Amino acid sequence: MSTIAFRLPATCAALLLIAAAPPDQGRVAYMIDGDTFRLESGERIRIAGIDAPETQPGQARCRAEIALGKAATARARTLFDGRTVTILRVGRSYNRTVARVMLAGRDVGSELVATGVARWWPRWQRKPDWCVRARQ
């Protein structure tokens, strides 16, 4: 019981520090896929709240998803490869920083969804199925 009493305040304090952290800026070195990129600093960033199709056979559900994933990666490259972005960190996942990403005052996730290469992926929801359109 006393261990929990000590851990809870420490966890809450850590979360408050993350939430209060000012946004950072960094230059995009390259796109890993349509929703993940690496900064010149080496940090991997996963764009929060969206999902782009997978590009790797071991992760994609179908061949059509891989083709869509390559198109999404290409579109994301044209949007912000080599450009400076603002990063609002919201968490971590699979050794990546999860963040809202802004480019010239615009939300990158919204831009990718608006162009059709990504879908909204609310937290705790199932991952979008990119193969449904291919089967229809």
Side-chain angles (χ1 to χ4, degrees):
M1 177 78 169
S2 63
T3 304
I4 293 171
F6 286 116
R7 286 186 184 166
L8 185 58
T11 302
C12 290
L15 290 173
L16 287 173
L17 286 174
I18 290 170
D24 287 327
Q25 290 195 328
R27 184 176 296 269
V28 177
Y30 63 91
M31 296 304 301
I32 295 170
D33 61 23
D35 55 28
T36 306
F37 60 92
R38 190 172 297 274
L39 295 173
E40 285 182 346
S41 67
E43 184 177 12
R44 282 191 326 152
I45 306 289
R46 169 74 164 78
I47 302 169
I50 67 165
D51 181 58
E54 300 297 336
T55 58
Q56 301 300 314
Q59 297 172 339
R61 294 179 182 168
C62 64
R63 279 185 275 172
E65 182 176 4
I66 294 170
L68 291 168
K70 289 179 180 179
T73 303
R75 175 67 183 135
R77 276 191 186 112
T78 63
L79 274 177
F80 60 105
D81 236 5
R83 300 190 56 197
T84 298
V85 293
T86 301
I87 301 156
L88 304 148
R89 289 173 172 76
V90 297
R92 303 246 339 132
S93 175
Y94 298 103
N95 295 318
R96 303 173 294 188
T97 297
V98 178
R100 287 194 52 223
V101 180
M102 308 295 284
L103 174 64
R106 296 183 331 261
D107 182 81
V108 172
S110 295
E111 295 276 328
L112 293 171
V113 170
T115 61
V117 298
R119 294 183 185 158
W120 292 116
W121 187 15
R123 196 170 194 182
W124 313 118
Q125 298 296 312
R126 296 179 101 190
K127 183 173 172 55
D129 185 350
W130 293 93
C131 299
V132 170
R133 276 192 281 182
R135 286 181 279 220
Q136 294 175 343

